[in-house]
mmCIF file of all heavy atoms in Angstrom:
data_model
loop_
_atom_site.group_PDB
_atom_site.id
_atom_site.type_symbol
_atom_site.label_atom_id
_atom_site.label_comp_id
_atom_site.label_asym_id
_atom_site.label_seq_id
_atom_site.Cartn_x
_atom_site.Cartn_y
_atom_site.Cartn_z
ATOM 1 N N LYS A 153 -1.364 -32.217 4.830
ATOM 2 C CA LYS A 153 -0.541 -31.523 3.838
ATOM 3 C C LYS A 153 -1.412 -30.677 2.912
ATOM 4 O O LYS A 153 -1.073 -29.539 2.597
ATOM 5 C CB LYS A 153 0.268 -32.526 3.012
ATOM 6 C CG LYS A 153 1.383 -33.177 3.773
ATOM 7 C CD LYS A 153 2.114 -34.189 2.909
ATOM 8 C CE LYS A 153 3.171 -34.931 3.701
ATOM 9 N NZ LYS A 153 3.844 -35.958 2.885
ATOM 10 N N LEU A 154 -2.548 -31.230 2.499
ATOM 11 C CA LEU A 154 -3.452 -30.509 1.612
ATOM 12 C C LEU A 154 -4.022 -29.281 2.313
ATOM 13 O O LEU A 154 -4.094 -28.200 1.726
ATOM 14 C CB LEU A 154 -4.592 -31.432 1.138
ATOM 15 C CG LEU A 154 -5.601 -30.821 0.188
ATOM 16 C CD1 LEU A 154 -4.932 -30.440 -1.136
ATOM 17 C CD2 LEU A 154 -6.747 -31.796 -0.072
ATOM 18 N N GLU A 155 -4.396 -29.419 3.576
ATOM 19 C CA GLU A 155 -4.946 -28.288 4.330
ATOM 20 C C GLU A 155 -3.911 -27.181 4.466
ATOM 21 O O GLU A 155 -4.238 -26.001 4.362
ATOM 22 C CB GLU A 155 -5.425 -28.730 5.714
ATOM 23 C CG GLU A 155 -5.994 -27.601 6.552
ATOM 24 C CD GLU A 155 -7.099 -26.793 5.886
ATOM 25 O OE1 GLU A 155 -7.910 -27.363 5.142
ATOM 26 O OE2 GLU A 155 -7.147 -25.564 6.100
ATOM 27 N N LYS A 156 -2.672 -27.559 4.672
ATOM 28 C CA LYS A 156 -1.595 -26.570 4.766
ATOM 29 C C LYS A 156 -1.481 -25.792 3.454
ATOM 30 O O LYS A 156 -1.368 -24.576 3.449
ATOM 31 C CB LYS A 156 -0.284 -27.287 5.086
ATOM 32 C CG LYS A 156 0.783 -26.425 5.662
ATOM 33 C CD LYS A 156 1.963 -27.308 6.078
ATOM 34 C CE LYS A 156 2.989 -26.513 6.815
ATOM 35 N NZ LYS A 156 4.116 -27.325 7.229
ATOM 36 N N ARG A 157 -1.524 -26.520 2.331
ATOM 37 C CA ARG A 157 -1.448 -25.863 1.022
ATOM 38 C C ARG A 157 -2.665 -24.980 0.785
ATOM 39 O O ARG A 157 -2.545 -23.855 0.311
ATOM 40 C CB ARG A 157 -1.334 -26.895 -0.099
ATOM 41 C CG ARG A 157 0.077 -27.430 -0.261
ATOM 42 C CD ARG A 157 0.175 -28.332 -1.452
ATOM 43 N NE ARG A 157 0.112 -29.688 -0.920
ATOM 44 C CZ ARG A 157 -0.420 -30.722 -1.510
ATOM 45 N NH1 ARG A 157 -0.952 -30.624 -2.680
ATOM 46 N NH2 ARG A 157 -0.432 -31.900 -0.945
ATOM 47 N N LEU A 158 -3.849 -25.489 1.107
ATOM 48 C CA LEU A 158 -5.076 -24.711 0.896
ATOM 49 C C LEU A 158 -5.088 -23.460 1.778
ATOM 50 O O LEU A 158 -5.527 -22.396 1.336
ATOM 51 C CB LEU A 158 -6.311 -25.572 1.167
ATOM 52 C CG LEU A 158 -6.586 -26.686 0.159
ATOM 53 C CD1 LEU A 158 -7.756 -27.555 0.631
ATOM 54 C CD2 LEU A 158 -6.858 -26.130 -1.223
ATOM 55 N N SER A 159 -4.595 -23.577 3.008
ATOM 56 C CA SER A 159 -4.526 -22.413 3.897
ATOM 57 C C SER A 159 -3.601 -21.348 3.326
ATOM 58 O O SER A 159 -3.908 -20.159 3.372
ATOM 59 C CB SER A 159 -4.030 -22.820 5.283
ATOM 60 O OG SER A 159 -4.989 -23.613 5.923
ATOM 61 N N ALA A 160 -2.475 -21.781 2.786
ATOM 62 C CA ALA A 160 -1.535 -20.831 2.183
ATOM 63 C C ALA A 160 -2.167 -20.146 0.974
ATOM 64 O O ALA A 160 -2.021 -18.932 0.791
ATOM 65 C CB ALA A 160 -0.251 -21.553 1.771
ATOM 66 N N ILE A 161 -2.893 -20.906 0.169
ATOM 67 C CA ILE A 161 -3.563 -20.330 -1.006
ATOM 68 C C ILE A 161 -4.633 -19.342 -0.562
ATOM 69 O O ILE A 161 -4.746 -18.245 -1.107
ATOM 70 C CB ILE A 161 -4.166 -21.443 -1.893
ATOM 71 C CG1 ILE A 161 -3.038 -22.231 -2.561
ATOM 72 C CG2 ILE A 161 -5.119 -20.860 -2.936
ATOM 73 C CD1 ILE A 161 -3.494 -23.510 -3.234
ATOM 74 N N ARG A 162 -5.422 -19.717 0.463
ATOM 75 C CA ARG A 162 -6.455 -18.809 0.969
ATOM 76 C C ARG A 162 -5.832 -17.525 1.512
ATOM 77 O O ARG A 162 -6.323 -16.425 1.257
ATOM 78 C CB ARG A 162 -7.292 -19.493 2.051
ATOM 79 C CG ARG A 162 -8.337 -20.456 1.506
ATOM 80 C CD ARG A 162 -9.306 -20.898 2.596
ATOM 81 N NE ARG A 162 -8.697 -21.772 3.577
ATOM 82 C CZ ARG A 162 -8.667 -23.098 3.503
ATOM 83 N NH1 ARG A 162 -9.210 -23.705 2.486
ATOM 84 N NH2 ARG A 162 -8.093 -23.805 4.443
ATOM 85 N N ALA A 163 -4.738 -17.659 2.262
ATOM 86 C CA ALA A 163 -4.074 -16.482 2.823
ATOM 87 C C ALA A 163 -3.525 -15.590 1.713
ATOM 88 O O ALA A 163 -3.665 -14.365 1.766
ATOM 89 C CB ALA A 163 -2.954 -16.911 3.771
ATOM 90 N N SER A 164 -2.921 -16.186 0.709
ATOM 91 C CA SER A 164 -2.387 -15.405 -0.407
ATOM 92 C C SER A 164 -3.501 -14.715 -1.172
ATOM 93 O O SER A 164 -3.378 -13.552 -1.567
ATOM 94 C CB SER A 164 -1.600 -16.303 -1.365
ATOM 95 O OG SER A 164 -0.461 -16.807 -0.725
ATOM 96 N N THR A 165 -4.603 -15.421 -1.388
ATOM 97 C CA THR A 165 -5.738 -14.845 -2.101
ATOM 98 C C THR A 165 -6.317 -13.678 -1.310
ATOM 99 O O THR A 165 -6.625 -12.618 -1.872
ATOM 100 C CB THR A 165 -6.829 -15.915 -2.339
ATOM 101 O OG1 THR A 165 -6.246 -16.991 -3.085
ATOM 102 C CG2 THR A 165 -8.007 -15.353 -3.088
ATOM 103 N N GLU A 166 -6.449 -13.857 0.000
ATOM 104 C CA GLU A 166 -6.982 -12.790 0.843
ATOM 105 C C GLU A 166 -6.040 -11.587 0.845
ATOM 106 O O GLU A 166 -6.486 -10.438 0.760
ATOM 107 C CB GLU A 166 -7.202 -13.295 2.275
ATOM 108 C CG GLU A 166 -7.969 -12.348 3.148
ATOM 109 C CD GLU A 166 -9.359 -12.002 2.622
ATOM 110 O OE1 GLU A 166 -10.019 -12.845 1.996
ATOM 111 O OE2 GLU A 166 -9.783 -10.848 2.829
ATOM 112 N N ALA A 167 -4.747 -11.848 0.915
ATOM 113 C CA ALA A 167 -3.770 -10.759 0.881
ATOM 114 C C ALA A 167 -3.849 -10.008 -0.443
ATOM 115 O O ALA A 167 -3.802 -8.776 -0.476
ATOM 116 C CB ALA A 167 -2.365 -11.300 1.100
ATOM 117 N N ALA A 168 -4.005 -10.742 -1.543
ATOM 118 C CA ALA A 168 -4.120 -10.096 -2.859
ATOM 119 C C ALA A 168 -5.374 -9.233 -2.928
ATOM 120 O O ALA A 168 -5.350 -8.130 -3.482
ATOM 121 C CB ALA A 168 -4.139 -11.151 -3.957
ATOM 122 N N LYS A 169 -6.474 -9.714 -2.331
ATOM 123 C CA LYS A 169 -7.712 -8.919 -2.317
ATOM 124 C C LYS A 169 -7.521 -7.635 -1.510
ATOM 125 O O LYS A 169 -7.982 -6.572 -1.899
ATOM 126 C CB LYS A 169 -8.868 -9.733 -1.716
ATOM 127 C CG LYS A 169 -9.402 -10.803 -2.632
ATOM 128 C CD LYS A 169 -10.527 -11.571 -1.946
ATOM 129 C CE LYS A 169 -11.016 -12.721 -2.793
ATOM 130 N NZ LYS A 169 -12.026 -13.511 -2.098
ATOM 131 N N ILE A 170 -6.841 -7.742 -0.379
ATOM 132 C CA ILE A 170 -6.590 -6.563 0.461
ATOM 133 C C ILE A 170 -5.701 -5.576 -0.282
ATOM 134 O O ILE A 170 -5.967 -4.373 -0.302
ATOM 135 C CB ILE A 170 -5.959 -6.976 1.812
ATOM 136 C CG1 ILE A 170 -6.998 -7.722 2.652
ATOM 137 C CG2 ILE A 170 -5.422 -5.764 2.567
ATOM 138 C CD1 ILE A 170 -6.431 -8.415 3.873
ATOM 139 N N ILE A 171 -4.663 -6.105 -0.923
ATOM 140 C CA ILE A 171 -3.766 -5.242 -1.694
ATOM 141 C C ILE A 171 -4.540 -4.541 -2.800
ATOM 142 O O ILE A 171 -4.397 -3.332 -3.008
ATOM 143 C CB ILE A 171 -2.595 -6.062 -2.276
ATOM 144 C CG1 ILE A 171 -1.661 -6.495 -1.146
ATOM 145 C CG2 ILE A 171 -1.828 -5.263 -3.334
ATOM 146 C CD1 ILE A 171 -0.675 -7.569 -1.544
ATOM 147 N N GLN A 172 -5.382 -5.287 -3.499
ATOM 148 C CA GLN A 172 -6.162 -4.697 -4.589
ATOM 149 C C GLN A 172 -7.110 -3.631 -4.072
ATOM 150 O O GLN A 172 -7.271 -2.586 -4.681
ATOM 151 C CB GLN A 172 -6.952 -5.785 -5.318
ATOM 152 C CG GLN A 172 -7.716 -5.254 -6.508
ATOM 153 C CD GLN A 172 -8.428 -6.363 -7.254
ATOM 154 O OE1 GLN A 172 -8.482 -7.505 -6.819
ATOM 155 N NE2 GLN A 172 -8.983 -6.032 -8.396
ATOM 156 N N ALA A 173 -7.711 -3.875 -2.919
ATOM 157 C CA ALA A 173 -8.663 -2.908 -2.359
ATOM 158 C C ALA A 173 -7.959 -1.648 -1.860
ATOM 159 O O ALA A 173 -8.492 -0.548 -1.986
ATOM 160 C CB ALA A 173 -9.446 -3.551 -1.215
ATOM 161 N N GLN A 174 -6.769 -1.813 -1.304
ATOM 162 C CA GLN A 174 -6.077 -0.692 -0.686
ATOM 163 C C GLN A 174 -5.187 0.097 -1.640
ATOM 164 O O GLN A 174 -4.970 1.280 -1.435
ATOM 165 C CB GLN A 174 -5.235 -1.177 0.504
ATOM 166 C CG GLN A 174 -6.054 -1.802 1.602
ATOM 167 C CD GLN A 174 -7.068 -0.836 2.182
ATOM 168 O OE1 GLN A 174 -6.772 0.313 2.426
ATOM 169 N NE2 GLN A 174 -8.284 -1.298 2.390
ATOM 170 N N ALA A 175 -4.654 -0.577 -2.639
ATOM 171 C CA ALA A 175 -3.721 0.097 -3.550
ATOM 172 C C ALA A 175 -4.405 0.325 -4.884
ATOM 173 O O ALA A 175 -4.986 -0.586 -5.443
ATOM 174 C CB ALA A 175 -2.470 -0.767 -3.753
ATOM 175 N N GLY A 176 -4.305 1.518 -5.352
ATOM 176 C CA GLY A 176 -4.767 1.762 -6.711
ATOM 177 C C GLY A 176 -3.773 1.085 -7.627
ATOM 178 O O GLY A 176 -2.826 0.462 -7.185
ATOM 179 N N ASP A 177 -3.958 1.188 -8.884
ATOM 180 C CA ASP A 177 -3.022 0.538 -9.786
ATOM 181 C C ASP A 177 -1.989 1.523 -10.297
ATOM 182 O O ASP A 177 -1.349 1.295 -11.303
ATOM 183 C CB ASP A 177 -3.770 -0.113 -10.953
ATOM 184 C CG ASP A 177 -2.950 -1.237 -11.574
ATOM 185 O OD1 ASP A 177 -2.089 -1.814 -10.893
ATOM 186 O OD2 ASP A 177 -3.151 -1.512 -12.745
ATOM 187 N N ASN A 178 -1.813 2.642 -9.584
ATOM 188 C CA ASN A 178 -0.803 3.607 -9.969
ATOM 189 C C ASN A 178 0.562 2.945 -9.899
ATOM 190 O O ASN A 178 0.895 2.324 -8.918
ATOM 191 C CB ASN A 178 -0.824 4.811 -9.027
ATOM 192 C CG ASN A 178 -2.193 5.429 -8.965
ATOM 193 O OD1 ASN A 178 -2.950 5.328 -9.924
ATOM 194 N ND2 ASN A 178 -2.515 6.045 -7.857
ATOM 195 N N GLU A 179 1.312 3.097 -10.931
ATOM 196 C CA GLU A 179 2.647 2.526 -11.034
ATOM 197 C C GLU A 179 2.617 1.014 -10.845
ATOM 198 O O GLU A 179 3.633 0.418 -10.497
ATOM 199 C CB GLU A 179 3.581 3.122 -9.990
ATOM 200 C CG GLU A 179 3.825 4.592 -10.119
ATOM 201 C CD GLU A 179 4.832 5.057 -9.112
ATOM 202 O OE1 GLU A 179 5.939 4.504 -9.067
ATOM 203 O OE2 GLU A 179 4.494 5.975 -8.353
ATOM 204 N N ASP A 180 1.502 0.400 -11.024
ATOM 205 C CA ASP A 180 1.359 -1.048 -10.881
ATOM 206 C C ASP A 180 1.767 -1.501 -9.478
ATOM 207 O O ASP A 180 2.509 -2.452 -9.302
ATOM 208 C CB ASP A 180 2.167 -1.771 -11.959
ATOM 209 C CG ASP A 180 1.599 -3.140 -12.281
ATOM 210 O OD1 ASP A 180 0.493 -3.450 -11.801
ATOM 211 O OD2 ASP A 180 2.257 -3.904 -12.988
ATOM 212 N N ALA A 181 1.281 -0.793 -8.461
ATOM 213 C CA ALA A 181 1.621 -1.084 -7.068
ATOM 214 C C ALA A 181 1.186 -2.488 -6.659
ATOM 215 O O ALA A 181 1.874 -3.159 -5.894
ATOM 216 C CB ALA A 181 0.969 -0.050 -6.150
ATOM 217 N N ARG A 182 0.049 -2.942 -7.184
ATOM 218 C CA ARG A 182 -0.416 -4.287 -6.821
ATOM 219 C C ARG A 182 0.563 -5.348 -7.282
ATOM 220 O O ARG A 182 0.841 -6.293 -6.557
ATOM 221 C CB ARG A 182 -1.794 -4.553 -7.424
ATOM 222 C CG ARG A 182 -2.901 -3.815 -6.732
ATOM 223 C CD ARG A 182 -4.212 -4.148 -7.356
ATOM 224 N NE ARG A 182 -4.226 -3.581 -8.690
ATOM 225 C CZ ARG A 182 -5.307 -3.240 -9.343
ATOM 226 N NH1 ARG A 182 -6.479 -3.445 -8.815
ATOM 227 N NH2 ARG A 182 -5.250 -2.722 -10.533
ATOM 228 N N SER A 183 1.099 -5.177 -8.489
ATOM 229 C CA SER A 183 2.059 -6.171 -8.983
ATOM 230 C C SER A 183 3.290 -6.215 -8.097
ATOM 231 O O SER A 183 3.810 -7.293 -7.803
ATOM 232 C CB SER A 183 2.475 -5.849 -10.422
ATOM 233 O OG SER A 183 1.391 -6.023 -11.287
ATOM 234 N N GLY A 184 3.744 -5.051 -7.649
ATOM 235 C CA GLY A 184 4.894 -5.020 -6.751
ATOM 236 C C GLY A 184 4.599 -5.739 -5.451
ATOM 237 O O GLY A 184 5.415 -6.525 -4.958
ATOM 238 N N ALA A 185 3.429 -5.486 -4.891
ATOM 239 C CA ALA A 185 3.049 -6.142 -3.636
ATOM 240 C C ALA A 185 2.888 -7.648 -3.824
ATOM 241 O O ALA A 185 3.325 -8.441 -2.982
ATOM 242 C CB ALA A 185 1.754 -5.535 -3.106
ATOM 243 N N LEU A 186 2.276 -8.041 -4.927
ATOM 244 C CA LEU A 186 2.088 -9.474 -5.182
ATOM 245 C C LEU A 186 3.422 -10.165 -5.441
ATOM 246 O O LEU A 186 3.630 -11.296 -5.005
ATOM 247 C CB LEU A 186 1.124 -9.685 -6.355
ATOM 248 C CG LEU A 186 -0.314 -9.288 -6.060
ATOM 249 C CD1 LEU A 186 -1.166 -9.393 -7.321
ATOM 250 C CD2 LEU A 186 -0.903 -10.142 -4.958
ATOM 251 N N THR A 187 4.327 -9.493 -6.133
ATOM 252 C CA THR A 187 5.656 -10.063 -6.356
ATOM 253 C C THR A 187 6.350 -10.294 -5.018
ATOM 254 O O THR A 187 6.935 -11.352 -4.786
ATOM 255 C CB THR A 187 6.505 -9.141 -7.257
ATOM 256 O OG1 THR A 187 5.860 -9.035 -8.534
ATOM 257 C CG2 THR A 187 7.911 -9.672 -7.447
ATOM 258 N N ALA A 188 6.272 -9.318 -4.127
ATOM 259 C CA ALA A 188 6.873 -9.464 -2.801
ATOM 260 C C ALA A 188 6.234 -10.621 -2.034
ATOM 261 O O ALA A 188 6.925 -11.398 -1.362
ATOM 262 C CB ALA A 188 6.735 -8.169 -2.013
ATOM 263 N N LEU A 189 4.918 -10.757 -2.157
ATOM 264 C CA LEU A 189 4.212 -11.843 -1.484
ATOM 265 C C LEU A 189 4.674 -13.197 -2.011
ATOM 266 O O LEU A 189 4.951 -14.122 -1.246
ATOM 267 C CB LEU A 189 2.705 -11.678 -1.690
ATOM 268 C CG LEU A 189 1.790 -12.670 -1.021
ATOM 269 C CD1 LEU A 189 1.857 -12.498 0.494
ATOM 270 C CD2 LEU A 189 0.364 -12.455 -1.487
ATOM 271 N N ILE A 190 4.812 -13.308 -3.311
ATOM 272 C CA ILE A 190 5.250 -14.566 -3.925
ATOM 273 C C ILE A 190 6.691 -14.870 -3.525
ATOM 274 O O ILE A 190 7.029 -16.021 -3.218
ATOM 275 C CB ILE A 190 5.088 -14.515 -5.451
ATOM 276 C CG1 ILE A 190 3.599 -14.487 -5.813
ATOM 277 C CG2 ILE A 190 5.771 -15.701 -6.119
ATOM 278 C CD1 ILE A 190 3.319 -14.136 -7.254
#
């Protein structure tokens, strides 16, 4: 159960890093992407 939770956290963290790297903060695009991810 813990590994499942940690994997989800790692995947979300990696996705957030990719979003941050690919999207500028114009119009707060990262927040929109992170909201969708959550």
Side-chain angles (χ1 to χ4, degrees):
K153 289 178 185 177
L154 181 64
E155 179 53 36
K156 200 173 187 180
R157 280 186 260 147
L158 291 174
S159 292
I161 290 169
R162 282 191 290 269
S164 295
T165 302
E166 190 59 33
K169 286 179 184 176
I170 291 168
I171 290 166
Q172 183 177 8
Q174 298 300 317
D177 203 25
N178 305 333
E179 297 184 55
D180 206 9
R182 286 181 292 206
S183 292
L186 291 174
T187 298
L189 183 67
I190 292 167

